[in-house]
Structure formats: C-alpha cells, structure tokens
Amino acid sequence: MTPVSRRQSYATGERLRQEVFNGDIGRILRLNQADRELTVRFDEREVVYDYDELDELTPAYAVTVHKSQGSEYPCVVMVLHTQHYALLQRNLLYTALTRGRKLVVLIGSKRAVAIAVKRAESHSRVTTLSERLICSATGYTSLPATGDRKLAAEERADYRP
C-alpha cells in the first residue's frame, strides 16, 4: 500500500498539511503542469513546491485536536466514546469546542462527554529536558543513570564542571 504522503495527484482547493512547518494547514492555489510546480497558501504566505517535493505534503481531511490548537475551522466534528478513555479529558474537549467558528458536532455517548468534563487532571510529562539543560550548561555529555529517568534535585546540584 502506498502511503498517502507519496500521492502524486492533487486538486486545486484541496486542503493540505505540510509537516515541515509543524502541521500548518494550507490550500492548493495553483497547479502549474508546464513548470511542474504546485503553489500552496499557508495563512498569509504562499509556498511553491516542485513536483519532486510533493512527498512533503499530506492531505488534511481531518486533524487532531492537538494539531488544531491556535486555529479555527468553520465546522469541528469530534468523536467521544468511552473506548477512548485516555483521550477523554476536559482540556481536549475544551480545545475542540473552541476551534469551531459556526458549528461543533459531538459524536458518541453522553457518558463519554460527562467523563471528559469531569477529568481535569493534568499528568506530569516524563521528559529529560532538565537533564539535557544541565548537560548543556555544565559541559557534561550525559549524567549517570539513577534508576529513575529524572534526577532528584539534590543529585542535580552535584553536577557542576
């Protein structure tokens, strides 16, 4: 099966997502068969692609709530079902509801909506950002393993050049 991003045929007006700009949504303005170019408008800028660069674009028939942050759409359709329990969170529901300018459609169960509204917990993210910052600031290439991905504050204080 050929990945959608490798598709070679596009139509004028088709919505696309360009991943090199972190999910920006654009519209095809022009197809220039003679020059083998495709022009896409992203917000207020136009980007011209050679046909050899079309693998950088993917159709954007639908986007995730995460990708929609900071954007608005005429209509938003969101599926809420109890089988997707991990995604039933108040912040995701709020973001989806506030993206729709004219219409928001929720598909699923009332129970799933109730669960999402009630779940306001925020999970701490497991990252190595603090360790990378310490390494960058101190000149170390890595910090010793502690059994836990995060170093305790008192352990971090021991790593100075």
Side-chain angles (χ1 to χ4, degrees), residues 39 57 63 65 77 88 92 95 117 139 159-160:
T39 304
L57 302 171
V63 295
V65 172
V77 177
L88 298 178
L92 291 177
T95 300
V117 169
Y159 290 94
R160 293 181 183 21

Side-chain angles (χ1 to χ4, degrees), residues 11-25:
T12 301
E14 188 169 350
R15 294 174 63 98
L16 297 174
R17 177 171 52 102
Q18 183 186 31
E19 295 172 339
V20 294
F21 291 122
N22 197 20
D24 284 353
I25 302 294

Side-chain angles (χ1 to χ4, degrees), residues 8-9 24 34-35 46 53 56 60 62 73 76 80 85 88-90 94 103-104 126 130 132 137 140 160:
Q8 293 297 312
S9 61
D24 284 353
D35 293 334
E46 292 183 11
E53 300 173 307
E56 294 181 27
Y73 302 91
V76 170
L80 290 165
Y85 184 79
L88 298 178
Q89 299 175 32
R90 183 185 306 168
Y94 173 82
L103 177 67
V104 175
V126 178
S130 61
R132 289 185 289 161
Y140 286 101
R160 293 181 183 21

Side-chain angles (χ1 to χ4, degrees), residues 81-89 111-112 115-116 119 121:
H81 198 277
T82 54
Q83 288 178 324
H84 309 126
Y85 184 79
L87 299 175
L88 298 178
Q89 299 175 32
R111 182 169 186 241
I115 291 169
R119 286 188 66 212
E121 64 221 29

Side-chain angles (χ1 to χ4, degrees), residues 24-58:
D24 284 353
I25 302 294
R27 277 197 189 272
I28 296 174
L29 294 179
R30 287 180 295 282
L31 293 166
N32 185 330
Q33 301 263 343
D35 293 334
R36 298 180 45 84
E37 292 180 341
L38 174 82
T39 304
V40 180
R41 176 184 293 274
F42 293 95
D43 293 322
E44 298 302 317
R45 68 188 190 284
E46 292 183 11
V47 180
V48 178
Y49 292 91
D50 186 87
Y51 280 13
D52 294 334
E53 300 173 307
L54 294 182
D55 62 340
E56 294 181 27
L57 302 171
T58 57

